[in-house]
Amino acid sequence: MSVINLPVQPPFITGSVLSPLAEYPDVLLLDVRFDEAHFHASLFEILKIPLPVRLQKAVNKRRAEYLASRYCLQQAMNTLGITQFVLHNDENRAPLWPAGLRGSLSHTHRRLCALLTRRQDLLPGIDCEQIMGGAHASDMAHMIINSAERALLAALELPFSCALTVIFSAKESLYKAIWPEIRRFIDFSAAEVVGWDVKQARLTLRLTRTLSVAFCAGKTFTVAVDLQPETVLTWVIGQQK
């Protein structure tokens, strides 16, 4: 599949692009830009996406994120022959993907991203984040990295807040990828960064403890990094045995 520009709804949804990953052509990356300032409730009817009861009294930010993600995912799934599907969540807020499709979803300020694949042997995980401010990064660091990771960051030519955001996002991507297999919450200490090639935009995560038969301590994962001035996007593709 080549790059596809999906239908949009300006000025609310200004861009929606679906493209295959270079390393995994069977995995599609959905990258969407939207502006919650141009959200209004009537867009649910215009875009034919039902407004869930739980969001009827939610703030506009939550409703805008929900509408943009569900509409753009619906358009992306249309290209795969899955029509009129509206994504819902389970009791743990994990997405309930349609039969035969695996996916992962993330959103941050004015941007949302997803991975979609029909391959049942792959475990996709994706995360997008705003770059942390310096003070926030200092406060959060002890929850995200260990002493070895801190030393690795010190050797990089990246601002600490930027590098910490990348690691935060990378671990989020990994946890989203393996969630369907482990179905339990884990903290950031369950994986550590053991390598980072800034030029190749790849880092390596290693599990620090055994999470399941398939995900044992010492198992490594390659994480792709798309670093931009204000945001970072990471993704990982796990293999199911």
Side-chain angles (χ1 to χ4, degrees):
M1 176 186 288
S2 58
V3 175
I4 299 176
N5 290 296
L6 297 172
V8 294
Q9 183 70 31
F12 173 49
I13 301 172
T14 55
S16 183
V17 178
L18 189 66
S19 58
L21 297 182
E23 304 91 337
Y24 292 91
D26 295 328
V27 181
L28 301 179
L29 169 64
L30 174 66
D31 195 353
V32 176
R33 305 307 168 106
F34 70 101
D35 188 347
E36 66 189 53
H38 294 286
F39 165 82
H40 50 88
S42 63
L43 284 170
F44 278 96
E45 183 176 354
I46 293 170
L47 298 178
K48 296 181 172 58
I49 299 293
L51 173 62
V53 174
R54 64 183 175 82
L55 292 181
Q56 288 181 357
K57 295 183 179 180
V59 298
N60 276 353
K61 180 179 184 295
R62 288 279 293 112
R63 293 190 293 167
E65 290 171 348
Y66 179 89
L67 178 59
S69 63
R70 270 51 183 184
Y71 174 74
C72 293
L73 279 169
Q74 186 180 83
Q75 300 305 308
M77 284 188 269
N78 284 346
T79 69
L80 299 173
I82 303 170
T83 60
Q84 303 305 309
F85 184 87
V86 178
L87 185 70
H88 295 286
N89 299 79
D90 65 14
E91 66 277 5
N92 294 309
R93 297 184 64 186
L96 293 169
W97 301 99
L101 188 72
R102 294 201 165 190
S104 182
L105 171 67
S106 181
H107 52 71
T108 187
H109 181 60
R110 296 188 176 183
R111 187 182 190 187
L112 68 91
C113 302
L115 293 177
L116 302 170
T117 184
R118 285 192 176 277
R119 284 185 55 178
Q120 297 303 293
D121 62 321
L122 299 182
L123 298 169
I126 195 168
D127 184 72
C128 56
E129 302 287 341
Q130 291 287 114
I131 301 297
M132 296 181 193
H136 184 54
S138 296
D139 291 341
M140 293 288 292
H142 72 283
M143 298 174 56
I144 301 169
I145 56 174
N146 59 30
S147 57
E149 290 172 307
R150 185 180 286 272
L152 186 151
L153 263 61
L156 298 176
E157 295 182 0
L158 285 175
F160 179 78
S161 59
C162 177
L164 187 71
T165 306
V166 172
I167 292 182
F168 177 92
S169 180
K171 293 184 179 185
E172 284 287 323
S173 287
L174 175 59
Y175 298 161
K176 288 179 182 179
I178 64 179
W179 168 262
E181 297 301 302
I182 64 173
R183 301 294 296 181
R184 60 188 173 92
F185 293 99
I186 51 178
D187 60 33
F188 289 103
S189 67
E192 62 180 349
V193 178
V194 293
W196 190 338
D197 188 329
V198 176
K199 290 184 178 180
Q200 296 297 318
R202 296 290 185 272
L203 60 78
T204 303
L205 286 174
R206 181 175 64 199
L207 295 181
T208 60
R209 55 181 181 266
T210 296
L211 303 175
S212 70
V213 174
F215 297 101
C216 300
K219 186 176 179 64
T220 60
F221 301 83
T222 298
V223 184
V225 179
D226 176 14
L227 184 57
Q228 299 186 11
E230 296 183 354
T231 62
V232 59
L233 172 65
T234 63
W235 67 84
V236 59
I237 308 295
Q239 298 276 347
Q240 185 180 41
K241 295 183 178 180

